[in-house]
Amino acid sequence: MRRFFTLILLFILGSNLSFAQDNYTDHTIQKGENVYKISRQYGVSVNAIFELNPGSEDVIYAGSTLRIPNSSNTSTPTYNTVINDDNISNYVVKSGETKSGLSRRFGVSINLLEQQNPHIIAMLQAGHILNVDKTIKENPRTAKKGEHYVVKGETLWGIARNNGISLAQLEAANYGRLSEFLQIGQTLIIPTKDSESSTDEGYLVQRGDTKFQLAKHFNMTIAELEEKNPHTVPMLMAGHRLNVDNSDVNNSEEIPNTNEVAITKVDSINTTNGYKNYVIEPKETLFGLAKKAGMTIEDFTNLNPKLLTSVNNGDIIKMPINPSQTIATTDAVDTVDTVDTVDTVDTVDTNTKNATTKIHSNKNEALFTNLVTETSTGLYFYSPFSSEELGSSEERQKMISINADFQKYIDFFQGAQVAIDSAKALNLDFDVTLIKKNIAKSKITIDSPHSKNAILVPFIDNKSNFPSIESNTPIAIIDIESNLVSKDSINVYRSIPSDTIQKTKTLNYLAKQNANVIVISDLNNARNKGLILNAIPDAKFLKVDNAGFFKSDALNNELSTDKLNYIVFDSEKTIVLLNTTTALMGKLSDHNIQLVMLESSLLPKQSEVSDMRFRILQLIFPAITNPQNKEDITAFEIKYEDEFSSKPSQNAILGFNVTFDILLRISQNSSFEDIINTTLSEQPHLKFDYQKTTDRNYSNTGIYLMQYNSNEGMIELINGN
């Protein structure tokens, strides 16, 4: 037994000795590497490398050796954080925290926080260590040249206007400082009017800048740019300060020819299809590029799908070699708007229905053509979040832990952010404001400096709690699944087509086809019987049992042998759908049958019912989103995933489509109501065709009427009209 314990003791001692000898690995630094990259390679923290290699936090050199701690023996460094009435010591900044939030938490001003922690002035980052001594007197801050010291009552819009720059330029120059409300005492960077941001402190990254473009501009490789600016390795962001001193860069080093291609105005010419590569210049817009190409915006975005999401300075796109020739040889797309009468739902009075017409343009041609960029507009969001809560991941998580339903608001605002970025790429000028939902307030007064404004109201759970709105300038209320009704003299625009609109438009289509209509339900009275009979008075109704089986010969007695038979399925039960479709497929040899659903929500998951049944029965169904618009949808999804590292949810899709459409509509040279009454639009997922329902209320009636087709997969039936 004694020998056994001796062996165990020797094993433990030997193990400890082995750990002591092998607790780090030597790494030879390669050109272009930085500490962040190396830490990711070995799966250890940056601070752990700094602790083993004093001085590496300042600079590292290619060819030198770094000691890398073994990941199994490293842990997150611990700091003796102390927070009391007079001192904050060794506080580690967490992801999502902001200067404003920390200043309130510690009971100090942002000025004092920055004064004692100058490393956070340019940008607060997770992992920064903060120390504050409250007994030290705060020095009054005076704005230097190119800066602005915020005082009470100022707004971003006012500061931008007073300095002769756009709001977008001001926001880009202060990207890391504007995660929430403007703070008194905050220092803002004021860029020059042309946004040229190279200073003694380095270059300030602007929206649309890329690493490749900046590396070429400052005569260095991307690796060298990242080595000098390790904070840009995970992602280059507007507002980053860059060290662009290339005095120590080997300027004689050849840059690969693949990089050379992108710096010329015309990079290469594809003689087989008549297009050349073109680099987008600063301040160019989609409308201007399409005009330069001699193409309609629709044709130009079909050629360059990524432009549907945003127009980015430095991006490479396709441009016709000979614009005039393109116009002559392209399949003719008539750019003159054609007028067509649109069917409306039953709630629209007859006079309005007969009088209302819409411009059927090539997607958004009418909106893009008349964009006004010289004047700014106001965009408001009514939300359960304040700007601070929405801008802090910690606060968002706290809200979700209280109510999981808040996640849909976060998704919506993330989609809206992509829309806001896309609108700014079109040079639209607007202010964005969050109004925090508060049921104690019965009235909200909006004092806007803009001549046109819109307030977006997503997902209100109790419309009776929505306050009345009073505004000094015209404002429109945009309802997103909130079911609001106008209380005041302000128009309410319901942006998502209701279930009733889906059903009515589908039934209107069936009524025009001179077919035999049979409604299948598992209830004594079909759920939509009144609506169906109103559109198709001679419709027949059949009831199946709970398993979806017909009574003997009941189906045969109602089917027509000499007319098309529309079978309208009106049940929510999957088993009923399976057995009903099986019975219908058995009748196809003697009858012309097509299946119809009045609501897209009745479509089961593909894991439950194969869409092969729908192809065979050529299912017709209404859809709010267009499943065929794959290029536009893909462009949006790529942009969203780049921004938020996740796929967009349905609520994020709503946030993008509704926000972008409203920004286009309020940025026109006509009144918002005129644009609503005269212009159709179509975003990547949603169609917007507003119809007046009552004096102050409008509904979007834009749906897609789709049909499964055995040959083509899926087709759209006459735009759902």
Side-chain angles (χ1 to χ4, degrees):
M1 180 66 71
R2 180 179 300 171
R3 183 182 177 189
F4 176 73
F5 283 117
T6 303
L7 288 172
I8 292 177
L9 182 62
L10 287 172
F11 174 76
I12 294 172
L13 289 172
S15 298
N16 286 340
L17 179 61
S18 174
F19 291 155
Q21 291 174 338
D22 301 323
N23 60 357
Y24 65 84
T25 301
D26 286 334
H27 173 86
T28 303
I29 302 167
Q30 304 298 314
K31 186 175 180 180
E33 286 187 322
N34 54 54
V35 176
Y36 176 82
K37 271 187 176 179
I38 297 168
S39 71
R40 292 287 294 271
Q41 179 181 340
Y42 288 93
V44 299
S45 70
V46 172
N47 285 332
I49 296 178
F50 288 160
E51 287 180 1
L52 268 183
N53 302 271
S56 60
E57 61 269 26
D58 297 322
V59 65
I60 60 173
Y61 298 96
S64 301
T65 300
L66 278 182
R67 289 183 172 182
I68 311 299
N70 292 335
S71 58
S72 59
N73 297 324
T74 62
S75 59
T76 303
T78 57
Y79 297 91
N80 296 322
T81 300
V82 177
I83 302 176
N84 55 39
D85 291 342
D86 293 325
N87 290 283
I88 295 92
S89 301
N90 296 325
Y91 181 83
V92 184
V93 176
K94 302 176 184 64
S95 177
E97 289 187 313
T98 62
K99 294 179 188 178
S100 175
L102 291 173
S103 71
R104 286 195 297 275
R105 179 177 178 183
F106 299 151
V108 298
S109 68
I110 294 178
N111 183 25
L112 184 61
L113 193 65
E114 291 181 339
Q115 181 178 309
Q116 297 190 26
N117 298 273
H119 56 290
I120 72 169
I121 291 176
M123 182 180 291
L124 183 72
Q125 294 179 331
H128 275 157
I129 309 300
L130 303 183
N131 292 280
V132 178
D133 184 350
K134 299 182 187 178
T135 63
I136 296 176
K137 186 177 179 181
E138 180 179 343
N139 296 328
R141 176 176 290 178
T142 55
K144 302 175 185 177
K145 184 179 180 181
E147 292 183 342
H148 178 85
Y149 187 69
V150 179
V151 298
K152 185 175 180 180
E154 287 189 309
T155 65
L156 281 176
W157 181 82
I159 295 169
R161 182 184 58 183
N162 292 339
N163 286 279
I165 58 176
S166 71
L167 180 63
Q169 286 175 301
L170 184 63
E171 287 178 333
N174 295 275
Y175 182 81
R177 308 174 182 215
L178 296 174
S179 59
E180 47 193 324
F181 289 121
L182 195 60
Q183 300 292 317
I184 297 172
Q186 190 174 6
T187 301
L188 300 181
I189 295 170
I190 305 299
T192 57
K193 293 182 181 181
D194 58 0
S195 293
E196 182 58 44
S197 300
S198 293
T199 67
D200 293 339
E201 299 176 2
Y203 176 82
L204 182 71
V205 177
Q206 305 293 296
R207 285 187 183 273
D209 282 347
T210 64
K211 290 181 184 177
F212 172 77
Q213 177 191 19
L214 292 173
K216 288 299 298 179
H217 182 72
F218 294 109
N219 196 25
M220 61 179 71
T221 65
I222 293 176
E224 288 163 342
L225 183 72
E226 289 184 338
E227 183 177 359
K228 290 177 174 295
N229 302 277
H231 56 293
T232 69
V233 172
M235 182 179 292
L236 181 74
M237 295 191 298
H240 273 159
R241 280 280 179 191
L242 302 185
N243 173 10
V244 291
D245 179 11
N246 62 356
S247 58
D248 59 342
V249 175
N250 182 3
N251 291 328
S252 63
E253 181 181 353
E254 288 293 328
I255 298 173
N257 289 334
T258 53
N259 288 353
E260 286 292 341
V261 173
I263 64 169
T264 56
K265 187 60 187 170
V266 177
D267 306 287
S268 62
I269 296 178
N270 187 335
T271 56
T272 59
N273 60 21
Y275 297 110
K276 62 190 177 185
N277 290 335
Y278 178 89
V279 181
I280 298 175
E281 295 183 337
K283 299 185 179 181
E284 287 196 296
T285 66
L286 180 58
F287 176 73
L289 288 168
K291 189 174 181 181
K292 184 177 289 188
M295 303 171 72
T296 66
I297 287 178
E298 181 181 29
D299 288 345
F300 193 59
T301 52
N302 285 338
L303 181 64
N304 299 282
K306 65 183 178 181
L307 294 180
L308 287 161
T309 304
S310 62
V311 179
N312 295 322
N313 174 25
D315 277 2
I316 300 174
I317 59 173
K318 291 182 180 179
M319 183 70 73
I321 297 171
N322 188 340
S324 60
Q325 182 181 357
T326 304
I327 296 175
T329 57
T330 302
D331 291 338
V333 179
D334 192 358
T335 57
V336 178
D337 297 320
T338 59
V339 179
D340 188 17
T341 302
V342 175
D343 292 332
T344 55
V345 294
D346 293 338
T347 52
V348 182
D349 64 82
T350 306
N351 292 333
T352 302
K353 179 174 179 179
N354 292 335
T356 303
T357 58
K358 295 286 183 178
I359 296 174
H360 286 263
S361 59
N362 296 324
K363 290 191 177 177
N364 301 313
E365 185 80 21
L367 293 179
F368 283 122
T369 301
N370 298 301
L371 285 177
V372 175
T373 58
E374 294 79 17
T375 57
S376 59
T377 57
L379 187 69
Y380 297 82
F381 290 94
Y382 187 73
S383 159
F385 295 99
S386 65
S387 293
E388 178 186 358
E389 290 163 339
L390 194 61
S392 165
S393 58
E394 194 174 285
E395 289 295 327
R396 291 197 302 270
Q397 206 55 47
K398 192 186 299 181
M399 296 280 284
I400 292 171
S401 65
I402 296 171
N403 184 352
D405 201 40
F406 283 145
Q407 182 64 52
K408 66 184 181 183
Y409 289 93
I410 294 172
D411 291 348
F412 179 88
F413 283 113
Q414 288 184 170
Q417 183 58 57
V418 178
I420 288 167
D421 291 343
S422 300
K424 287 180 178 176
L426 294 171
N427 290 335
L428 299 186
D429 193 2
F430 52 91
D431 282 336
V432 178
T433 305
L434 256 68
I435 301 173
K436 183 167 182 180
K437 172 181 167 184
N438 187 338
I439 60 174
K441 290 184 178 179
S442 59
K443 184 166 103 172
I444 293 175
T445 301
I446 295 176
D447 185 13
S448 173
H450 311 293
S451 60
K452 286 196 280 188
N453 307 271
I455 174 171
L456 276 63
V457 186
F459 317 133
I460 294 297
D461 49 4
N462 187 348
K463 64 182 179 182
S464 63
N465 287 335
F466 185 67
S468 62
I469 304 292
E470 186 176 282
S471 176
N472 63 320
T473 57
I475 190 167
I477 297 175
I478 313 302
D479 176 310
I480 302 101
E481 295 188 350
S482 294
N483 298 319
L484 301 176
V485 176
S486 177
K487 303 178 186 176
D488 313 297
S489 59
I490 299 175
N491 290 345
V492 172
Y493 301 88
R494 185 173 294 182
S495 60
I496 310 302
S498 66
D499 289 344
T500 301
I501 288 172
Q502 292 187 54
K503 297 171 189 175
T504 303
K505 284 213 162 187
T506 307
L507 289 168
N508 285 347
Y509 174 81
L510 300 184
K512 296 175 183 176
Q513 307 309 311
N514 188 31
N516 182 39
V517 178
I518 303 171
V519 183
I520 306 295
S521 74
D522 57 352
L523 303 171
N524 288 327
N525 286 313
R527 296 177 308 149
N528 297 297
K529 188 170 185 177
L531 201 61
I532 293 168
L533 288 174
N534 187 56
I536 310 171
D538 57 351
K540 303 165 185 175
F541 292 82
L542 277 181
K543 180 180 179 297
V544 295
D545 61 26
N546 290 332
F549 293 112
F550 296 94
K551 290 183 180 179
S552 178
D553 292 331
L555 181 59
N556 277 339
N557 293 337
E558 301 298 346
L559 286 171
S560 172
T561 56
D562 55 3
K563 292 175 70 175
L564 170 62
N565 295 276
Y566 282 130
I567 309 299
V568 179
F569 184 77
D570 195 21
S571 171
E572 296 177 337
K573 296 179 180 177
T574 303
I575 186 63
V576 174
L577 177 63
L578 286 169
N579 289 329
T580 298
T581 52
T582 299
L584 292 174
M585 288 188 290
K587 303 294 183 183
L588 285 173
S589 59
D590 300 318
H591 303 85
N592 185 3
I593 295 173
Q594 291 182 13
L595 185 64
V596 180
M597 290 185 184
L598 300 181
E599 304 165 67
S600 55
S601 60
L602 292 182
L603 279 169
K605 296 178 181 177
Q606 194 166 353
S607 59
E608 298 174 341
V609 179
S610 169
D611 65 3
M612 184 56 67
R613 290 173 181 259
F614 302 148
R615 294 179 190 277
I616 294 171
L617 292 169
Q618 298 181 67
L619 170 66
I620 295 171
F621 66 98
I624 293 176
T625 59
N626 185 357
Q628 289 189 308
N629 192 12
K630 293 184 178 171
E631 284 188 351
D632 294 1
I633 290 172
T634 300
F636 161 71
E637 288 177 346
I638 290 171
K639 179 73 172 175
Y640 186 92
E641 289 180 41
D642 285 346
E643 190 86 15
F644 301 107
S645 302
S646 64
K647 289 192 174 297
S649 68
Q650 185 61 31
N651 293 318
I653 287 170
L654 295 183
F656 173 78
N657 284 261
V658 176
T659 304
F660 189 60
D661 189 73
I662 292 302
L663 281 169
L664 290 179
R665 288 179 181 271
I666 63 173
S667 302
Q668 299 294 306
N669 55 12
S670 303
S671 72
F672 185 78
E673 189 171 1
D674 284 346
I675 295 300
I676 287 289
N677 284 328
T678 60
T679 309
L680 282 171
S681 60
E682 190 172 348
Q683 305 309 335
H685 306 81
L686 301 180
K687 183 187 297 184
F688 296 92
D689 177 10
Y690 288 97
Q691 297 284 344
K692 198 169 190 176
T693 54
T694 61
D695 186 42
R696 289 288 179 185
N697 294 278
Y698 289 76
S699 288
N700 178 15
T701 64
I703 69 161
Y704 300 91
L705 192 56
M706 308 303 299
Q707 181 175 33
Y708 278 92
N709 183 284
S710 57
N711 297 322
E712 301 176 44
M714 199 177 290
I715 59 173
E716 184 181 356
L717 297 174
I718 321 174
N719 297 318
N721 291 327

